[in-house]
DNA sequence: CATAGTAAGTTCTGTTTTAGAACTCATAAG
DNA sequence: CTTATGAGTTCTAAAACAGAACTTACTATG
């Protein structure tokens, strides 16, 4: 399998790898969810090289997760915002944070929290089936080849 | 930031990158969820080089997502199985599949499905808060630095 | 007018990772 | 004694990444 062809593989996991499967992209998305919008903002926060940051932002734009919006003219400057496809990644990020917090322990407290927009309280996420409301875990579901 | 130090970063997203952030690891996990257990099984299915497969399996073992179990002696052979931390990754994988299916479209039908263990029907996953049952999306939650 | 600063990149050079293929080791089977 | 099997390891070459300096188009200050 060629890595560059992953973005049009028929398997959704393989296509997802074109997003989370290279260095920095997921961390850039985290910053975007935290509110960062500008090139230098991402660079300062992450310590990524400018070269790679430019490349990753271009890729996120191509994949349709972020888009460039001009915020001034003379000189023309753009900022990067999440598209609806990018915002739809939120629940994935949330579950990833929840899993990593519980299963890849650290002695340091996490520097981020996920809170409810309604009441400001920390959330306790769980995946359920939309119609039945039953929890979906390894034990209650199966991944199958079709 | 050094990439090799990511596995003991305080941010859970950064730690998660030590799992999903390098090539092949997420695809190896997909195969594990589909039931593959042996070295050559992973190699045949994925087309990954044997060298990298050995390295990735070693890393998944170190991180505690998979463990080696002997399945015969003379000659001694091991297979790789998901640990409980590995199985706990199931909901993340599920949300990732769901997101990629809806937001990274493909003209080919997906070669995998996620079905309910109870009734065999395809599931429609959604993330909710465990206590309130309210759906958690970009609009109803906020990621915050602490 | 000259100099410095800002924001968003691009261009270098050198190191690290990954790809692809061949090879090893222990044992079993024909 | 030759071939097969399963699980790796060892090569070399190609691709990706890191770190730093440079560019472009302005604006602000002395």
């Amino acid at each position: 399998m060629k890595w560059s062809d992953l973005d049009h593989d028929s398997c959704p996991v393989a296509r997802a790898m074109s997003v989370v499967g290279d260095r920095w992209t997921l961390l850039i998305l985290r910053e975007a969810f935290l509110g960062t919008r500008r090139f230098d903002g991402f660079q300062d926060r992450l310590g990524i090289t400018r070269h790679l940051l430019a490349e990753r932002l271009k890729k996120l734009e191509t994949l349709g997760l972020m888009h460039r919006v001009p915020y001034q003219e003379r000189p023309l400057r753009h900022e990067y915002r999440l598209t609806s496809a990018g915002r739809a990644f939120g629940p994935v990020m949330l579950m990833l944070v929840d899993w990593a917090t519980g299963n890849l322990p650290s002695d340091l407290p996490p520097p981020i929290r996920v809170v409810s927009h309604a009441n400001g309280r920390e959330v306790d996420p769980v995946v359920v089936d939309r119609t039945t409301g039953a929890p979906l875990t390894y034990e209650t579901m199966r991944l199958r080849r079709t």
Side-chain angles (χ1 to χ4, degrees), chain A residues 9 11 13 16 20 23-24 32 37 43 55 61 72 88-89 105 107 115-117 121 123 135 141 144:
Chain A
D9 193 284
C11 176
V13 180
V20 297
R23 295 192 178 181
W24 300 111
R37 293 184 166 179
Q43 213 267 315
E55 197 171 286
E61 219 190 325
Q72 71 170 38
F89 194 79
D107 26 327
V115 300
S116 160
H117 190 236
R121 276 207 282 271
V123 301
M141 66 189 186
R144 280 215 193 126

Side-chain angles (χ1 to χ4, degrees), chain A residues 34-138:
Chain A
L34 284 165
T36 302
R37 293 184 166 179
R38 299 192 184 172
F39 191 92
D40 282 16
F42 287 108
Q43 213 267 315
D44 293 348
R45 288 243 163 246
L46 295 172
I48 181 176
T49 67
R50 308 178 71 74
H51 175 73
L52 275 195
L53 178 56
E55 197 171 286
R56 292 295 184 266
L57 288 172
K58 214 168 284 177
K59 188 170 172 179
L60 283 169
E61 219 190 325
T62 304
L63 290 169
L65 275 84
M66 302 191 84
H67 61 139
R68 263 158 45 107
V69 187
Y71 68 88
Q72 71 170 38
E73 302 183 10
R74 319 196 50 77
L76 182 59
R77 295 272 183 267
H78 299 90
E79 60 181 18
Y80 294 85
R81 294 195 197 166
L82 291 164
T83 61
S84 68
R87 291 192 295 272
F89 194 79
V92 183
M93 180 78 74
L94 177 52
M95 290 314 294
L96 197 64
V97 167
D98 188 60
W99 173 80
T101 303
N103 293 281
L104 298 175
S106 163
D107 26 327
L108 301 160
I112 60 167
R113 282 186 312 146
V114 187
V115 300
S116 160
H117 190 236
N119 58 24
R121 276 207 282 271
E122 196 145 1
V123 301
D124 184 10
V126 61
V127 178
V128 301
D129 187 85
R130 194 185 304 272
T131 52
T132 68
L136 296 170
T137 65
Y138 180 85

Side-chain angles (χ1 to χ4, degrees), chain A residues 3 6-9 11-22 25-26 59 63 65 89 92:
Chain A
W3 204 253
L6 222 50
D7 55 341
H8 38 84
D9 193 284
C11 176
V13 180
R15 288 205 305 287
M17 282 307 287
S18 67
V19 177
V20 297
D22 51 28
T25 306
L26 197 62
K59 188 170 172 179
L63 290 169
L65 275 84
F89 194 79
V92 183

